[in-house]
Amino acid sequence: MWMNIGTKAQAGSRAKQDAFDPDADRLREECGVFGIFGHPQAAAITALGLHALQHRGQEAAGIVTFDGKTFSSERRNGLVGDHFSSAATIARLPGNMAVGHVRYATTGGTILRNVQPLFAELATGGFAVAHNGNLTNGLTLRRELIAGGAICQGTSDTEVMLHLVARSRKARFMERYIEALQQLEGAYSLVSLTNKKLIGARDPVGIRPLVLGELDGCYILASETCALDIIGAHFIRDIENGEVVVISENGIESIKPFPARVMRPCIFEYVYFARPDSVVHGRNVYEIRRNMGAELAKESGVDADVVVPVPDSGVPAAIGYARASGIPFELGIIRNHYVGRTFIQPTQAIREMGVRMKHSANRSVIEGKRIILLDDSIVRGTTSVKIVRMMREAGAKEVHFRISSPPIKYPDFYGIDTPERENLLAATHSMEQIREYIGCDSIAFLSIDGLYRAVGEQKRNPLQPQFTDHCFTGDYPTPLADIENEGQLQKLAMLAEAS
Ligand code: SF4
């Protein structure tokens, strides 16, 4: 994925973007990956898979294929459908092996050489890699590599993986690959391609998801099951934490090159990132989100006339809340799905109106009502302020804000775009201050144990948490080498801005 350097500038530009893009005030997944081995339509299938994973990243997309002789690559800024729906583009990607990647949109300039899959010609042959996650020692490794003479082309931590494989002294490719993996810390779900193999790898904690599927006898790797559904493939299993799967003409082989660790996948996949029709670790995301709403109703019920979701992400939890509380569910906010980021708003006054571009109040179900407004999470709170104001302007008598996840208090270092801690509303405000800032009559978040109950656990085990949940708890499951060495971060941030 893209390396979180130059964060201050990005945070600033994202804050400006909040003025007109309600979705900017959310945590964002930064990447989705896909790979297929042995299918004559490999590129077209990968394009479809990436299309289903578009919610994981909208800035850029890329596909690398191999046709037995040559690797071909197409990497573009923009949406998958903008570039990979044309027959001409797919024709430029021949071969029966492919890897693909989508990445999240930043507002800063996009550097095309960061767009994945990254590709390098190594002593062992061509090597392409697509990465979902973030290496917490990516900058440390990068500095060591540069000190040792490596020339980095982009600002991506994924590039470190190419260098580590290239510089390994091991003879066989898989030995090199595993030696490289063993130097990485943080979150990675990788899909890689060589001239003989499709390789999937998941970090020892299993923070970001990765699944194995099958279509027409061909193996597929993808971030989520929705990418299998779109092509009619069937789900085989999740790739395990710390597992490397090697797919070749000889079939599939599973390698476990790390000491065994307990899996702790990211719980936020259930809260927001994953598509509701995906099944993540055996749990249907839509059902889990409904459970979150039901738990929230049990924990913080309030007398009201209607339950109104903030669309689209608040809808399943609002359905669960309405069912559990017996209060009717109503679509009190209508979302316009045809608003793109390309709409340039020339003045502040027009930008202030921007929230209504995507969301508008359905006055007929709001006016004179006591409403329970349901959203999945609060990051900075800027959008929540506007939506509550919109409800009041539409005549709501009372607005009770309910959030189907706990307060986000800590930044992510595992591949999710979060503002700095001081910009996370819940990190710097008491509950009453949050209520006052947002302008609602009451506010309540789901408790951390309520979230765990919603995903099917009895409660969070503080000694051995079942999930990675540190945006809520501050309990980081891996070392944070880069963060501990901030001088180094600054130095490389300048490098990033110059590129
Ligand atoms: S901070 Fe942890 S729980 Fe939150 S999104 Fe990131 S990996 Fe997931």
Side-chain angles (χ1 to χ4, degrees):
M1 57 130 319
W2 171 78
M3 198 176 264
N4 277 328
I5 40 190
T7 49
K8 288 224 166 82
Q10 286 146 11
S13 56
R14 281 172 196 160
K16 272 182 228 143
Q17 190 183 38
D18 283 350
F20 63 94
D21 183 357
D23 282 348
D25 189 21
R26 297 210 179 267
L27 297 192
R28 288 182 188 265
E29 182 58 76
E30 295 209 355
C31 299
V33 293
F34 188 94
I36 184 163
F37 185 89
H39 200 288
Q41 307 289 325
I45 288 170
T46 301
L48 282 170
L50 294 181
H51 188 74
L53 297 173
Q54 189 78 83
H55 60 287
R56 298 185 78 86
Q58 295 102 47
E59 178 192 39
I63 297 177
V64 171
T65 58
F66 183 66
D67 67 358
K69 282 196 188 129
T70 312
F71 286 88
S72 304
S73 168
E74 290 280 330
R75 299 182 300 155
R76 294 278 189 277
N77 292 322
L79 299 174
V80 178
D82 293 345
H83 301 290
F84 292 94
S85 52
S86 100
T89 305
I90 298 301
R92 289 197 296 273
L93 292 165
N96 66 0
M97 301 154 67
V99 286
H101 188 264
V102 286
R103 55 174 270 177
Y104 156 68
T106 62
T107 54
T110 298
I111 308 168
L112 197 57
R113 60 183 182 269
N114 278 344
V115 176
Q116 298 189 29
L118 299 183
F119 177 80
E121 199 66 58
L122 310 184
T124 47
F127 174 47
V129 62
H131 175 200
N132 175 206
N134 192 51
L135 304 179
T136 51
N137 66 342
L139 290 162
T140 307
L141 289 170
R142 184 184 163 99
R143 188 174 68 162
E144 287 166 10
L145 286 162
I146 290 171
I151 298 168
C152 290
Q153 297 291 320
T155 56
S156 152
D157 58 348
T158 310
E159 195 175 347
V160 160
M161 184 65 189
L162 294 180
H163 284 283
L164 293 176
V165 176
R167 293 161 83 93
S168 170
R169 298 296 168 107
K170 302 278 186 191
R172 297 183 54 232
F173 178 82
M174 281 313 299
E175 291 172 336
R176 289 169 168 240
Y177 186 89
I178 285 167
E179 189 181 71
L181 287 187
Q182 286 167 335
Q183 295 170 69
L184 308 183
E185 286 170 5
Y188 55 83
S189 282
L190 297 169
V191 177
S192 310
L193 189 68
T194 72
N195 55 10
K196 294 199 181 78
K197 298 176 176 76
L198 175 70
I199 307 160
R202 203 166 168 196
D203 68 71
V205 180
I207 296 174
R208 306 255 69 88
L210 189 63
V211 300
L212 177 69
E214 181 267 337
L215 175 73
D216 302 337
C218 305
Y219 286 113
I220 293 168
L221 294 162
S223 292
E224 287 182 42
T225 59
C226 63
L228 303 179
D229 296 336
I230 193 174
I231 52 172
H234 83 264
F235 168 75
I236 299 176
R237 65 177 176 88
D238 290 287
I239 303 301
E240 292 174 22
N241 56 312
E243 181 180 11
V244 178
V245 289
V246 185
I247 298 161
S248 67
E249 294 291 350
N250 303 325
I252 186 163
E253 182 191 3
S254 168
I255 305 169
K256 297 275 183 66
F258 303 103
R261 281 193 66 172
V262 176
M263 186 174 205
R264 282 184 70 182
C266 166
I267 204 163
F268 217 89
E269 292 286 342
Y270 295 111
V271 173
Y272 178 68
F273 299 142
R275 235 171 69 162
D277 54 335
S278 282
V279 175
V280 177
H281 304 113
R283 300 163 170 105
N284 175 265
V285 173
Y286 176 77
E287 279 175 26
I288 299 283
R289 287 183 189 161
R290 253 188 357 209
N291 295 347
M292 289 173 191
E295 290 293 333
L296 188 57
K298 280 188 228 156
E299 287 183 356
S300 53
V302 58
D303 261 357
D305 303 310
V306 285
V307 177
V308 170
V310 177
D312 293 323
S313 53
V315 171
I319 292 171
Y321 192 107
R323 279 191 191 170
S325 64
I327 300 170
F329 170 95
E330 295 284 5
L331 289 176
I333 301 173
I334 305 301
R335 180 174 176 144
N336 181 346
H337 287 267
Y338 306 101
V339 179
R341 292 236 170 144
T342 46
F343 189 96
I344 308 294
Q345 296 160 336
T347 67
Q348 182 62 22
I350 297 289
R351 276 197 293 276
E352 286 298 320
M353 291 175 197
V355 70
R356 286 194 285 271
M357 283 176 56
K358 242 181 191 170
H359 292 144
S360 50
N362 184 4
R363 185 174 276 274
S364 67
V365 300
I366 300 293
E367 196 161 19
K369 303 273 176 48
R370 298 168 301 164
I371 68 167
I372 294 170
L373 186 62
L374 220 139
D375 206 352
D376 63 275
S377 54
I378 293 183
V379 182
R380 294 186 191 89
T382 46
T383 297
S384 309
V385 171
K386 290 171 188 167
I387 291 196
V388 169
R389 194 188 305 145
M390 184 193 291
M391 295 295 93
R392 294 213 188 274
E393 286 167 5
K397 208 158 77 183
E398 292 172 16
V399 182
H400 300 280
F401 205 11
R402 295 292 179 269
I403 296 94
S404 59
S405 64
I408 296 173
K409 294 186 175 172
Y410 301 90
D412 174 279
F413 301 112
Y414 299 103
I416 307 304
D417 176 38
T418 35
E420 280 127 355
R421 187 149 194 251
E422 62 266 26
N423 294 320
L424 291 169
L425 188 65
T428 50
H429 292 70
S430 69
M431 206 50 71
E432 176 53 21
Q433 287 169 332
I434 295 174
R435 188 203 63 72
E436 208 175 300
Y437 173 74
I438 286 175
C440 49
D441 295 284
S442 77
I443 189 159
F445 292 78
L446 184 62
S447 69
I448 190 77
D449 281 338
L451 178 58
Y452 272 71
R453 280 194 298 276
V455 296
E457 304 287 338
Q458 281 188 334
K459 60 183 206 146
R460 181 178 195 265
N461 176 357
L463 301 175
Q464 186 62 263
Q466 303 90 320
F467 290 91
T468 289
D469 57 11
H470 53 272
C471 47
F472 308 124
T473 61
D475 174 1
Y476 292 92
T478 72
L480 301 172
D482 293 341
I483 303 304
E484 280 149 22
N485 191 350
E486 252 199 82
Q488 172 182 293
L489 187 72
Q490 296 301 327
K491 198 168 162 193
L492 284 159
M494 288 194 310
L495 180 74
E497 280 167 7
S499 50

